[in-house]
């Protein structure tokens, strides 16, 4: 594995390898969820590039940019074992200039749910993903379904900007009790971990209702809120289609049910695709 920190070194490293590129963008603090993306990308591509970059433009004022977990040594080990070909770990200066041209998230889809709570977050996310996709020259790029709104917005960006990369959605990875893996789970103590399970339990109860024939969104959301009472704050419970338009009733094969809430320090999100 070659580790590169500059754009020039990335281009040099790419010159030295031949074949179709699979790319996994990350912000590091790699866990099993990232590893499953990396492993899938490894299986499906000749060359594998992973990036680790804690992108400042997607953090809002007062968010945990400085406290965001950084585990470079462990991440390098994981990438080496996963047979990554090129690990790209740029500095902020390498990625950004002052007073840049920016692309923005769509006015509705980028400002509801996660975008309502974190207004502007998706602008910064799309800006860095555009840069990273262009730099990697990937044929396929891998994104987890856990950040469902991010995934859908990246797919829209690729479509709207005619980018020649296939975005591959990857399944959510959970711990043995059902908690969706996240770099921020390290902030949960034992009691909070138990209460955090109410997110996946609420999604399970929604799935059961749908399987039993209940499709009305309001009825399903009401039941989910009861299960979510164990969180400290419920931020949202939403039922949307695969383009993130709210649905009055579940459409099998075209629905995402999402929850977000605070348990202890971290905000947690989870979802299920139905
Ligand atoms: O999902 C993430 O880790 C980040 O939003 C991403 C896609 C690496 C962009 O910074």
């Amino acid at each position: 594995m070659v580790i590169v920190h500059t754009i020039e070194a990335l281009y040099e490293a790419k010159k030295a390898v031949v074949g179709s590129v699979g790319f996994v963008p990350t912000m590091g603090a790699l866990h099993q969820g990232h590893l499953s993306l990396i492993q899938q990308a490894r299986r499906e591509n000749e060359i594998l590039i992973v990036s680790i970059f804690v992108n400042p433009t997607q953090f809002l004022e007062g968010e945990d940019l400085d406290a965001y977990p950084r585990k470079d040594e462990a991440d390098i080990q994981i990438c080496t074992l996963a047979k990554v070909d090129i690990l790209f770990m740029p500095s902020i200066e390498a990625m950004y200039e002052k007073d840049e041209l920016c692309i923005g998230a769509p006015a509705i889809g980028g400002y509801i749910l996660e975008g309502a709570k974190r207004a502007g977050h998706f602008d910064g996310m799309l800006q860095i993903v555009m840069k990273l996709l262009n730099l990697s020259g990937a044929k396929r790029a891998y994104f987890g379904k856990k950040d469902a709104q991010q995934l859908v917005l990246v797919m829209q960006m690729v479509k709207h900007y005619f980018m020649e990369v296939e975005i591959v959605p990857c399944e959510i990875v959970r711990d043995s009790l059902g908690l969706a893996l996240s770099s921020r789970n390290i902030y949960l103590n034992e009691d909070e971990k138990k209460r955090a399970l109410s997110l996946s339990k609420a999604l399970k109860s929604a799935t059961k209702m749908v399987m039993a024939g209940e499709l009305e969104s309001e009825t399903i959301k009401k039941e989910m809120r009861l299960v979510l009472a164990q969180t400290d704050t419920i931020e949202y419970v939403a039922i949307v289609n695969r383009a993130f338009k709210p649905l009055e009733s579940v459409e099998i094969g075209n629905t995402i049910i999402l929850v977000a809430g605070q348990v202890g320090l971290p905000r947690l999100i989870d979802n299920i695709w139905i």
Side-chain angles (χ1 to χ4, degrees), residues 92 180 199 258:
I92 295 175
L199 275 83
L258 307 109

Side-chain angles (χ1 to χ4, degrees), residues 1 3 30 35 38-39 42 48 50 73-85 87:
M1 182 174 82
I3 303 175
L30 303 179
L35 189 57
I38 293 172
Q39 287 170 334
R42 179 67 286 171
L48 173 56
V50 172
E73 284 311 310
D75 290 347
I76 290 171
Q77 293 249 0
I78 290 170
C79 289
T80 308
L81 291 173
K83 301 198 177 348
V84 171
D85 295 300
L87 178 58

Side-chain angles (χ1 to χ4, degrees), residues 32-128:
Q32 200 58 40
H34 299 108
L35 189 57
S36 78
L37 305 187
I38 293 172
Q39 287 170 334
Q40 184 174 344
R42 179 67 286 171
R43 286 193 299 274
E44 295 177 358
N45 300 279
E46 288 160 292
I47 310 300
L48 173 56
I49 304 181
V50 172
S51 65
I52 295 179
F53 179 64
V54 181
N55 172 40
T57 65
Q58 69 189 77
F59 287 80
L60 306 184
E61 203 63 32
E63 285 190 344
D64 60 347
L65 173 62
D66 294 334
Y68 195 83
R70 285 166 169 84
K71 298 187 172 175
D72 287 357
E73 284 311 310
D75 290 347
I76 290 171
Q77 293 249 0
I78 290 170
C79 289
T80 308
L81 291 173
K83 301 198 177 348
V84 171
D85 295 300
I86 302 174
L87 178 58
F88 180 46
M89 300 175 78
S91 63
I92 295 175
E93 294 68 34
M95 294 307 289
Y96 286 107
E97 291 181 19
K98 289 205 172 72
D99 191 27
E100 276 201 10
L101 178 154
C102 291
I103 60 160
I108 300 172
Y111 288 85
I112 55 168
L113 304 175
E114 285 304 291
K117 176 72 190 172
R118 308 180 68 196
H121 160 73
F122 286 127
D123 294 339
M125 181 281 291
L126 290 170
Q127 185 183 13
I128 195 66

Side-chain angles (χ1 to χ4, degrees), residues 1-15:
M1 182 174 82
V2 189
I3 303 175
V4 291
H5 299 281
T6 64
I7 310 294
E8 296 71 28
L10 174 63
Y11 284 146
E12 278 307 308
K14 276 176 53 189
K15 266 192 221 154

Side-chain angles (χ1 to χ4, degrees), residues 8-263:
E8 296 71 28
L10 174 63
Y11 284 146
E12 278 307 308
K14 276 176 53 189
K15 266 192 221 154
V17 288
V18 191
S20 65
V21 173
F23 174 56
V24 183
T26 81
M27 296 207 300
L30 303 179
H31 52 64
Q32 200 58 40
H34 299 108
L35 189 57
S36 78
L37 305 187
I38 293 172
Q39 287 170 334
Q40 184 174 344
R42 179 67 286 171
R43 286 193 299 274
E44 295 177 358
N45 300 279
E46 288 160 292
I47 310 300
L48 173 56
I49 304 181
V50 172
S51 65
I52 295 179
F53 179 64
V54 181
N55 172 40
T57 65
Q58 69 189 77
F59 287 80
L60 306 184
E61 203 63 32
E63 285 190 344
D64 60 347
L65 173 62
D66 294 334
Y68 195 83
R70 285 166 169 84
K71 298 187 172 175
D72 287 357
E73 284 311 310
D75 290 347
I76 290 171
Q77 293 249 0
I78 290 170
C79 289
T80 308
L81 291 173
K83 301 198 177 348
V84 171
D85 295 300
I86 302 174
L87 178 58
F88 180 46
M89 300 175 78
S91 63
I92 295 175
E93 294 68 34
M95 294 307 289
Y96 286 107
E97 291 181 19
K98 289 205 172 72
D99 191 27
E100 276 201 10
L101 178 154
C102 291
I103 60 160
I108 300 172
Y111 288 85
I112 55 168
L113 304 175
E114 285 304 291
K117 176 72 190 172
R118 308 180 68 196
H121 160 73
F122 286 127
D123 294 339
M125 181 281 291
L126 290 170
Q127 185 183 13
I128 195 66
V129 170
M130 166 79 94
K131 285 169 185 264
L132 291 169
L133 290 176
N134 287 341
L135 281 170
S136 70
K139 182 171 180 210
R140 297 186 195 89
Y142 295 76
F143 289 80
K145 283 183 174 175
K146 172 152 178 291
D147 292 303
Q149 199 170 357
Q150 163 171 287
L151 167 61
V152 168
L153 287 169
V154 168
M155 286 173 132
Q156 289 175 350
M157 176 177 76
V158 164
K159 182 167 178 250
H160 297 164
Y161 285 82
F162 310 106
M163 295 165 73
E164 287 189 52
V165 53
E166 178 192 346
I167 302 300
V168 183
C170 302
E171 292 308 320
I172 296 176
V173 179
R174 300 176 180 283
D175 72 9
S176 58
L177 297 174
L179 181 66
L181 298 191
S182 158
S183 304
R184 292 187 171 107
N185 288 356
I186 55 165
Y187 300 128
L188 296 168
N189 65 28
E190 282 312 306
D191 166 63
E192 289 163 352
K193 252 189 203 160
K194 277 190 204 140
R195 292 190 294 116
L197 290 176
S198 61
L199 275 83
S200 57
K201 285 184 184 158
L203 293 167
K204 264 191 207 149
S205 89
T207 312
K208 264 196 195 157
M209 289 176 84
V210 172
M211 282 165 67
E214 177 59 73
L215 298 180
E216 205 203 320
S217 297
E218 278 315 313
T219 313
I220 297 170
K221 287 197 279 188
K222 204 165 152 201
E223 176 62 27
M224 289 176 73
R225 285 184 174 275
L226 295 179
V227 184
L228 285 165
Q230 286 208 312
T231 57
D232 296 326
T233 326
I234 305 172
E235 269 176 27
Y236 60 75
V237 178
I239 301 187
V240 299
N241 69 13
R242 300 277 166 97
F244 265 76
K245 304 263 179 332
L247 288 175
E248 280 181 14
S249 49
V250 168
E251 294 169 5
I252 309 282
N254 186 32
T255 297
I256 311 173
I257 304 182
L258 307 109
V259 287
Q262 185 108 19
V263 181

